Amino acid sequence: MKNTLAINGGKPVRDSYLPYGKQFIDAEDIQTVINVLKSDFITTGPTIEQFEKQVADYVDAKYAVAFSSGTAALHGACFAAGISTNDEVITTPITFVASANCVLYQNGKPVFADIDPETYNICPKSIREKVTNKTKAIIPVHFTGQPAKLDEVLKIAQEYNLIVIEDAAHALGSKYKNKKIGSIGDMTMFSFHPVKHITTGEGGIITTDNEEYYQKLLQFRTHGITRNLENLIDNHGPWYYEMQFLGYNYRMTDIQAALGISQMRKLDSFICKRKKYVKIYNEKLKELPQIILPKQLNDVCSSWHLYVIRLNSTLLKVDRKGFFQALQKENIGVNVHYVPVYMQPFYRQLGYMPGICPNAEKIYKDIITLPLYPGMTEKDIQDVISALKKVISYYSKS
Ligand SMILES: *Cc1c(COP(=O)(O)O)cnc(C)c1O
């Protein structure tokens, strides 16, 4: 991965390659995991419940159900919401494929609403245009950690009797008008993949205040099986359990939950670090007309999963691909979030065509994600800034 020659044949800004995102694991995390490995339960034990309670408390939700991944959690939420054949679910194309795939898992149809060209979040006006009598739910994604316009999303949902499942994979610790993300929509998903705010290796969770969803999620996570005496249809004796619908094995292990518990204790300090680095990026990059910095709204608080800049291509002699490669040659691990979901070959095969969301397709051409994670040092941030300035001055028009 490491480059020894920069774009102009000179020395790169950095000697070592800086990834765009990375987990932060310390001795306390490791010890917490070891303790569970030495205990009686390494899966479906008390550690899972402890982790679920910790996350529910943190986001001000009544219930939380942990899953083997954020994607599995989204699948669970679509099941609990009753999404089935021919139901339409509205989401954004500027997201990871899982936000739409979870609808396909339930044989529903993802419908893509366009984004706001400034925040890159789903646009309520476009949602309204896409609602039909088949629409069953909306999956807003809090892109980069900045909450989508939830008041307007909830208003549309109320008007048309739709369920709101928030994809908050980027937004653990974010706030919308002083309410924690995780306490607002019908169900909210968080992911614990290593690049997200905290990690369990792989893992995800749904938070909700709705007891019916909570019970369905618990059962869906374990094959559709229940041992709950009150809900049994039959009862053959003390060994008896019942599979009442088709579920999956989507359980998280206690080993993962232990890591999650230890990581949650550091979440606020992780977010602080991210905010501090964003402030430096904002301050040091604001005078470069060749790039457009992330638009921050006043009534929300982002926990900053990603820092996404947009190239002002009219001022550059290079396209996004060339700019991206130049930063890579400086050993800066950049990324692009995301290829609009419906442009993926599989979605094209399903019949989705380019042109569905013009704003999404337009910004996709110019966006680049800069490295941002709590394990970075201020020197790392400075290197990213130096590399950006170097590449901009090399490719600047005039
Ligand atoms: C990471 C992510 C997911 C999926 O989470 P996994 O835990 O990787 O399955 C879903 N949606 C978005 C927006 C994500 O960034």
Side-chain angles (χ1 to χ4, degrees):
M1 220 29 184
K2 189 179 127 181
N3 292 294
T4 50
L5 281 181
I7 191 76
N8 55 2
K11 216 171 107 52
V13 161
R14 278 178 71 88
D15 291 333
S16 62
Y17 194 82
L18 182 73
Y20 93 92
K22 195 182 155 186
Q23 72 278 11
F24 182 95
I25 306 271
D26 65 10
E28 188 202 14
D29 294 325
I30 294 166
Q31 192 54 52
T32 314
V33 171
I34 290 172
N35 293 346
V36 162
L37 284 169
K38 290 178 173 169
S39 77
D40 290 339
F41 293 97
I42 58 171
T43 192
T44 325
T47 314
I48 287 287
E49 279 175 37
Q50 197 190 327
F51 178 53
E52 288 171 336
K53 183 165 185 329
Q54 193 183 14
V55 174
D57 287 349
Y58 185 87
V59 306
D60 297 329
K62 239 180 180 162
Y63 309 104
V65 181
F67 281 83
S68 51
S69 71
T71 305
L74 278 174
H75 186 187
C78 286
F79 171 83
I83 309 236
S84 64
T85 310
N86 293 329
D87 287 339
E88 293 179 1
V89 177
I90 299 174
T91 190
T92 166
I94 297 296
T95 186
F96 184 55
V97 291
S99 317
N101 289 352
C102 60
V103 178
L104 294 177
Y105 297 153
Q106 286 300 108
N107 300 310
K109 183 182 171 209
V111 172
F112 296 96
D114 209 350
I115 55 159
D116 175 302
E118 290 201 311
T119 62
Y120 318 144
N121 261 326
I122 196 164
C123 164
K125 188 166 163 273
S126 181
I127 296 177
R128 216 172 253 287
E129 287 162 8
K130 305 279 168 131
V131 173
T132 72
N133 56 12
K134 289 184 186 159
T135 310
K136 183 111 188 202
I138 308 171
I139 306 182
V141 178
H142 306 307
F143 181 65
T144 73
Q146 174 151 262
K149 292 203 164 126
L150 282 175
D151 278 353
E152 290 167 63
V153 171
L154 291 169
K155 190 160 169 272
I156 298 167
Q158 202 167 27
E159 249 174 78
Y160 295 97
N161 196 21
L162 311 174
I163 295 165
V164 175
I165 302 167
E166 292 166 58
D167 179 336
H170 298 185
L172 183 59
S174 291
K175 282 186 202 151
Y176 178 78
K177 298 187 177 174
N178 287 320
K179 273 192 190 155
K180 286 269 181 68
I181 291 297
S183 68
I184 304 171
D186 295 291
M187 287 176 267
T188 304
M189 181 280 288
F190 298 99
S191 163
F192 308 125
H193 179 275
V195 298
K196 307 290 163 65
H197 283 92
I198 65 156
T199 191
T200 58
E202 296 280 357
I205 209 162
I206 298 290
T207 61
T208 183
D209 282 350
N210 181 309
E211 199 196 338
E212 194 188 318
Y213 292 152
Y214 172 63
Q215 295 297 346
K216 275 191 186 158
L217 290 164
L218 285 176
Q219 205 168 336
F220 185 77
R221 176 176 72 178
T222 185
H223 311 276
I225 286 174
T226 183
R227 288 178 179 275
N228 190 340
L229 289 177
E230 289 162 39
N231 300 335
L232 293 181
I233 294 161
D234 206 344
N235 191 350
H236 304 173
W239 64 87
Y240 187 74
Y241 60 79
E242 239 168 34
M243 179 188 147
Q244 299 175 327
F245 55 78
L246 186 62
Y248 294 76
N249 180 350
Y250 276 165
R251 295 185 302 264
M252 178 186 273
T253 66
D254 283 44
I255 305 165
Q256 291 165 293
L259 180 54
I261 288 167
S262 180
Q263 288 264 299
M264 277 299 284
R265 294 189 195 122
K266 290 186 272 275
L267 174 57
D268 285 335
S269 72
F270 287 166
I271 294 172
C272 250
K273 255 306 185 30
R274 285 174 180 272
K275 285 182 175 165
K276 180 178 159 195
Y277 291 159
V278 164
K279 226 170 147 184
I280 301 175
Y281 275 152
N282 284 342
E283 198 53 43
K284 298 279 173 72
L285 300 175
K286 71 178 179 209
E287 261 136 47
L288 299 168
Q290 295 86 350
I291 57 176
I292 300 159
L293 302 188
K295 163 106 175 171
Q296 290 174 253
L297 300 177
N298 289 327
D299 54 353
V300 301
C301 173
S302 174
S303 55
W304 287 102
H305 168 50
L306 300 174
Y307 192 87
V308 174
I309 60 164
R310 187 171 170 193
L311 303 183
N312 185 348
S313 18
T314 56
L315 300 178
L316 292 161
K317 288 183 288 195
V318 70
D319 63 5
R320 192 261 311 270
K321 189 174 172 186
F323 197 98
F324 188 97
Q325 287 170 328
L327 284 170
Q328 279 189 320
K329 289 200 171 164
E330 300 296 337
N331 286 320
I332 304 300
V334 276
N335 209 323
V336 170
H337 296 88
Y338 293 92
V339 178
V341 175
Y342 62 79
M343 304 283 276
Q344 296 288 351
F346 182 73
Y347 279 81
R348 294 296 301 276
Q349 217 174 293
L350 293 178
Y352 292 84
M353 300 289 277
I356 301 172
C357 300
N359 288 342
E361 289 175 36
K362 195 161 168 227
I363 73 114
Y364 166 62
K365 291 196 174 81
D366 297 325
I367 47 176
I368 293 180
T369 305
L370 303 184
L372 180 65
Y373 51 95
M376 286 174 91
T377 62
E378 276 189 48
K379 160 85 170 51
D380 293 334
I381 293 283
Q382 283 308 332
D383 287 346
V384 178
I385 293 163
S386 305
L388 259 173
K389 288 187 169 168
K390 184 175 167 187
V391 171
I392 286 174
S393 79
Y394 189 78
Y395 284 119
S396 209
K397 280 187 188 166
S398 80

